[in-house]
Amino acid sequence: MQATGNMASIEPSNGLSKEPAEPANEPANEPAKPRKRSRFLKTIIRYKWLYLLLVPGVLYYIVYHYIPMFGLLIAFKDYNLMKGVWDSPWAGFDNFRTIFASPDFPVLIKNTVLLSFYRIAFNMLPDVMLALMLNEIRARWFKRVVQTITYGPHFLSWIIVYGLVFSFFAPGAGLFTTLFRDLGWGDLDVLTNSAAFRPMLLLTEVWKSTGFGAIIYLAALASINHELYEAAVVDGAGRWRQLWHITLPGIREVFILLLILRIGNIMDAGFEQVYIFLNARVYDVGDILDTWIFRRGIEQMEFSVPAAMGVFKSIIGLILVIGANRLAKKVGGSGIW
């Protein structure tokens, strides 16, 4: 009986206490907003040098990208250079009606979209292929030589590139045109031939930008874990299997990101290159929105209609970026945001 009493007097030691628990929803000592504010200030102080490095980039975008947005008012006004933006009379959407009613508008849209589509379809694949070939080269000196040769044209301006093309294909006086004529093969017409104008733009673009584009994919290839390749070798996978199941998935996100950015710029089509190569005999296949804006705005000193065309381009580009980003997420990519 005494043992029973002692056992009865022992309190439970399994951590379950009969005492009432303290209320969970006890009011905090400090308000939530001051606490968040102090945490934010501590973060700023802790990473002050990183935020200081961020300031020049932020100022650049504010000064050169956001403040000029006030110039969009020109698109909705009958802008007069002497009166200025604020004193010029409002025109509403008349400038946009002028654009859409112009007989040149369908041709401009067609040329711009086609050139941009060709750039996306034929210029992105050479970048990937060159990066994959360079990644398979084991001789480092040869890899560096190839990179230097392919990356060099990126530093040439389009004026120099056109000068090189003109020296080879100038009508009646170029190196290749003279050679064709002397061999009895007829006249070689490239610069003033409508059928050859777009392929010439694509070939010069590939020659100039492939080396630079491959560097981005080489950086993505360098981030792939080499243990995946070792495991694939152990499992008996060859080089093609490793390429298909490891290498290509490793650069997929970078490819999708660059594709979205290019789709967002589909209304640009490379103004500098097209304007330099363009001549009166290839207007029907080479005149794009940007060259039309340049002629109408700079050469003819008419600013309202080209500004409206710029607003139209920006809206279309924004819609394309949002649509491409959502499509990329649906197919399994990460997108831009």
Side-chain angles (χ1 to χ4, degrees):
M1 296 294 294
Q2 186 176 0
T4 305
N6 293 336
M7 292 178 63
S9 63
I10 297 175
E11 296 182 0
S13 59
N14 56 359
L16 300 176
S17 176
K18 295 182 180 180
E19 297 181 0
E22 296 182 359
N25 299 328
E26 190 174 343
N29 296 330
E30 298 180 359
K33 289 185 178 179
R35 184 181 300 175
K36 291 182 179 179
R37 190 178 304 162
S38 62
R39 190 179 303 167
F40 175 74
L41 292 176
K42 288 180 180 179
T43 304
I44 293 293
I45 295 173
R46 181 178 180 183
Y47 300 105
K48 56 182 179 297
W49 299 115
L50 295 179
Y51 284 107
L52 186 62
L53 292 174
L54 188 65
V55 169
V58 173
L59 289 178
Y60 166 79
Y61 277 95
I62 291 176
V63 173
Y64 292 103
H65 290 268
Y66 285 95
I67 293 179
M69 284 187 179
F70 290 102
L72 295 178
L73 292 175
I74 299 176
F76 303 94
K77 287 194 169 190
D78 186 9
Y79 179 69
N80 188 308
L81 190 61
M82 302 303 296
K83 294 181 180 179
V85 178
W86 301 111
D87 295 332
S88 297
W90 287 95
F93 292 95
D94 291 343
N95 296 322
F96 294 91
R97 296 189 187 98
T98 302
I99 292 172
F100 300 142
S102 173
D104 297 330
F105 183 73
V107 178
L108 296 173
I109 290 292
K110 175 185 175 182
N111 294 337
T112 303
V113 173
L114 280 178
L115 282 175
S116 297
F117 176 76
Y118 291 155
R119 288 173 183 272
I120 295 174
F122 299 105
N123 285 13
M124 293 190 70
L125 292 180
D127 299 348
V128 177
M129 294 174 61
L130 179 61
L132 294 176
M133 288 188 291
L134 290 174
N135 189 57
E136 296 297 326
I137 296 176
R138 294 296 174 260
R140 300 186 65 179
W141 66 269
F142 183 72
K143 183 177 181 179
R144 292 174 181 174
V145 169
V146 174
Q147 279 187 285
T148 303
I149 294 174
T150 56
Y151 188 53
H154 173 72
F155 297 98
L156 301 178
S157 67
W158 280 114
I159 292 291
I160 298 176
V161 175
Y162 178 75
L164 294 173
V165 174
F166 187 82
S167 64
F168 287 113
F169 299 103
L175 179 62
F176 288 159
T177 53
T178 304
L179 180 62
F180 266 60
R181 185 178 63 250
D182 293 342
L183 292 176
W185 294 348
D187 294 330
L188 181 63
D189 187 9
V190 175
L191 296 178
T192 58
N193 187 356
S194 298
F197 182 74
R198 289 172 182 167
M200 179 183 58
L201 291 181
L202 292 175
L203 290 175
T204 52
E205 172 72 17
V206 169
W207 176 75
K208 187 176 185 297
S209 62
T210 298
F212 179 79
I215 290 179
I216 302 175
Y217 293 105
L218 285 173
L221 291 171
S223 64
I224 299 177
N225 191 354
H226 287 277
E227 294 181 356
L228 296 175
Y229 292 103
E230 296 175 359
V233 172
V234 172
D235 291 340
R239 299 302 301 176
W240 289 107
R241 286 289 182 180
Q242 296 176 34
L243 174 68
W244 183 258
H245 294 287
I246 300 176
T247 305
L248 293 181
I251 64 175
R252 182 184 61 180
E253 298 296 333
V254 177
F255 183 85
I256 292 176
L257 176 62
L258 295 177
L259 179 61
I260 293 174
L261 295 177
R262 292 208 176 196
I263 290 176
N265 294 325
I266 202 170
M267 303 301 290
D268 292 336
F271 163 74
E272 185 179 358
Q273 180 194 15
V274 176
Y275 181 75
I276 292 172
F277 280 82
L278 192 64
N279 57 76
R281 297 186 61 179
V282 294
Y283 267 18
D284 56 336
V285 296
D287 197 15
I288 59 175
L289 293 175
D290 286 339
T291 55
W292 183 87
I293 290 173
F294 183 84
R295 289 198 309 273
R296 194 86 179 250
I298 304 300
E299 296 179 358
Q300 301 178 15
M301 299 295 290
E302 184 180 355
F303 299 103
S304 296
V305 175
M309 182 71 84
V311 173
F312 168 75
K313 284 180 49 183
S314 301
I315 294 174
I316 298 299
L318 177 62
I319 294 173
L320 291 175
V321 167
I322 295 175
N325 186 71
R326 290 186 177 180
L327 182 62
K329 288 185 176 181
K330 287 185 179 181
V331 298
S334 58
I336 300 179
W337 63 85

